[in-house]
Amino acid sequence: MVSAPLSSVSVGNGAKERLRLWIRLLRASRIVESELRERLKREFNSTLPRFDVMAALYRAPDGMLMSDLSRFLLVSNGNVTGIVDRLVSDGFVVRAQREGDRRTSIVRLTARGEEEFRSMAAIHEGWIGELLGDVAEDDARRLSAMLKSFRSNWEGEA
Amino acid sequence: MVSAPLSSVSVGNGAKERLRLWIRLLRASRIVESELRERLKREFNSTLPRFDVMAALYRAPDGMLMSDLSRFLLVSNGNVTGIVDRLVSDGFVVRAQREGDRRTSIVRLTARGEEEFRSMAAIHEGWIGELLGDVAEDDARRLSAMLKSFRSNWEGEA
DNA sequence: ACGAGATATTTCAAGCATGAAATTTCAAGA
DNA sequence: TCTTGAAATTTCATGCTTGAAATATCTCGT
């Protein structure tokens, strides 16, 4: 990944600096992601998408609709279907019918799912602390603040 | 994606701030990536991985080995095989035999591939300028510098 | 010359991701 | 009631991604 900057193909003005930023942002997140994937697989026989779904459900003890999950995680409906299917067959998650609307199903963590997630989350937090260890805590705070409002800036223009 | 912070499952000390940073970093890159994917598909009937491969080859007029590509792009060998296969069948890339070593093949952009890439790259740079438009150029520079040395920090510990 | 190991690449199975089409169910108005 | 459209979800085709196994070729010590 990480399309390098191309001095010979140029355009705007501040664009150069932002392009460089984007490339490094992408590279950094790919590196961390790939390390996380490896560790999740090794230690928990799981994946990042599964972890994300479980994290969302952990925050929602009453469960979530498939469409809520897909909205919250910024991924497509069909995608969530597959991930949840696999979590169900592993016994970490259940689909429950909702009274009064047979189209929807509420997805919830099972007790086993909760327990599994708790142990993953604790270790995951440690990993991130390690992998981003060289970012000074102060830098982390500033960077974080910088990225906080990121989405609202341009969404809806598409 | 974007596993939200979980105040109830806690661990280290500076870990909290770094976890938050990681979540936002991931979210930001997912949002930009998804917008880029959409536009590349719409405007060029292409994808980010294809763009990345073409960018790498554009910087290497003498071509690259498959293994060079895979190392440079931080993706697996098998992955590159598939992407290059598709680029070849679209006429943007060629595989050439190398004298003296029949194991390797050198991958190169075709003239059409170069031309196609030039027009993609110009527009791509504009998109990034737009999508990261609200990051002040100064912030971009600092952020960029902060991320520059990212990899060397911890790689090799795995 | 031979064989052992290293190197370069492809193939494969499994899972992730998208957007579009298909299903099923619901909500309301004629 | 009927039917038309909206809403929730699944299914499907295509492509990306990994890690492991399979191929093919090369290198080098003996």
Side-chain angles (χ1 to χ4, degrees):
Chain A
M1 302 311 132
V2 178
S3 24
L6 302 152
S7 26
S8 39
V9 180
S10 189
V11 171
N13 247 330
K16 269 279 165 299
E17 205 53 52
R18 294 194 180 92
L19 182 54
R20 190 187 318 281
L21 169 60
W22 167 240
I23 289 161
R24 290 187 180 160
L25 209 70
L26 192 52
R27 191 171 186 96
S29 63
R30 291 255 166 87
I31 290 170
V32 174
E33 246 180 304
S34 131
E35 184 67 18
L36 286 179
R37 179 186 10 254
E38 214 174 301
R39 296 185 184 192
L40 278 173
K41 179 67 182 170
R42 185 177 353 116
E43 308 287 338
F44 297 100
N45 193 36
S46 192
T47 67
L48 221 35
R50 288 165 61 109
F51 181 82
D52 288 335
V53 166
M54 291 176 81
L57 294 179
Y58 188 80
R59 303 173 357 123
D62 293 341
M64 293 175 82
L65 300 184
M66 294 297 284
S67 39
D68 292 337
L69 269 172
S70 131
R71 232 186 321 279
F72 180 72
L73 299 175
L74 307 178
V75 300
S76 67
N77 275 339
N79 188 0
V80 176
T81 296
I83 297 168
V84 167
D85 282 351
R86 283 178 286 269
L87 286 173
V88 166
S89 69
D90 284 350
F92 293 139
V93 149
V94 284
R95 279 184 173 92
Q97 294 297 327
R98 187 168 62 161
E99 290 288 323
D101 190 340
R102 274 169 303 179
R103 290 172 303 179
T104 66
S105 60
I106 294 186
V107 184
R108 233 187 291 279
L109 282 182
T110 61
R112 240 186 94 217
E114 275 193 33
E115 189 185 353
E116 177 77 356
F117 177 72
R118 255 190 294 271
S119 72
M120 285 201 298
I123 294 189
H124 173 267
E125 184 169 326
W127 288 341
I128 298 299
E130 172 194 344
L131 294 174
L132 303 195
D134 289 314
V135 180
E137 196 169 336
D138 202 51
D139 281 349
R141 219 181 307 276
R142 275 191 304 149
L143 243 171
S144 194
M146 221 176 270
L147 291 171
K148 175 171 186 170
S149 58
F150 185 77
R151 174 153 211 190
S152 56
N153 290 337
W154 61 272
E155 80 179 330
E157 300 184 49
Chain B
M1 300 310 136
V2 179
S3 23
L6 301 152
S7 25
S8 40
V9 179
S10 187
V11 171
N13 246 330
K16 269 278 166 300
E17 205 53 51
R18 294 193 179 93
L19 182 54
R20 190 187 318 282
L21 169 59
W22 167 240
I23 288 160
R24 290 187 181 158
L25 208 69
L26 192 51
R27 191 171 187 96
S29 63
R30 290 254 167 86
I31 290 171
V32 173
E33 248 181 302
S34 131
E35 184 67 18
L36 286 179
R37 178 184 13 251
E38 214 174 301
R39 296 185 185 192
L40 279 173
K41 177 68 181 169
R42 186 178 351 117
E43 309 287 338
F44 297 101
N45 193 36
S46 190
T47 67
L48 219 36
R50 288 165 60 111
F51 182 81
D52 288 336
V53 166
M54 291 176 81
L57 294 179
Y58 188 79
R59 304 173 356 123
D62 293 341
M64 291 175 83
L65 300 183
M66 294 297 283
S67 39
D68 292 338
L69 270 172
S70 132
R71 233 186 320 279
F72 181 72
L73 299 175
L74 307 178
V75 300
S76 67
N77 275 339
N79 189 359
V80 176
T81 297
I83 297 168
V84 167
D85 282 351
R86 285 178 284 270
L87 285 172
V88 166
S89 70
D90 284 350
F92 292 139
V93 147
V94 284
R95 279 185 173 91
Q97 294 297 327
R98 187 168 63 162
E99 289 288 322
D101 190 340
R102 275 169 303 180
R103 290 171 304 178
T104 67
S105 61
I106 292 187
V107 183
R108 235 188 289 278
L109 282 182
T110 61
R112 240 187 94 216
E114 274 192 34
E115 189 184 353
E116 178 76 357
F117 177 72
R118 255 189 294 269
S119 74
M120 285 200 299
I123 294 189
H124 173 266
E125 184 169 326
W127 288 341
I128 299 299
E130 171 193 345
L131 295 173
L132 303 194
D134 288 314
V135 180
E137 196 170 337
D138 203 51
D139 282 348
R141 220 181 306 277
R142 276 190 304 148
L143 244 171
S144 195
M146 220 176 272
L147 291 171
K148 176 172 186 170
S149 58
F150 185 78
R151 173 152 212 192
S152 56
N153 289 339
W154 60 273
E155 81 179 329
E157 300 184 50

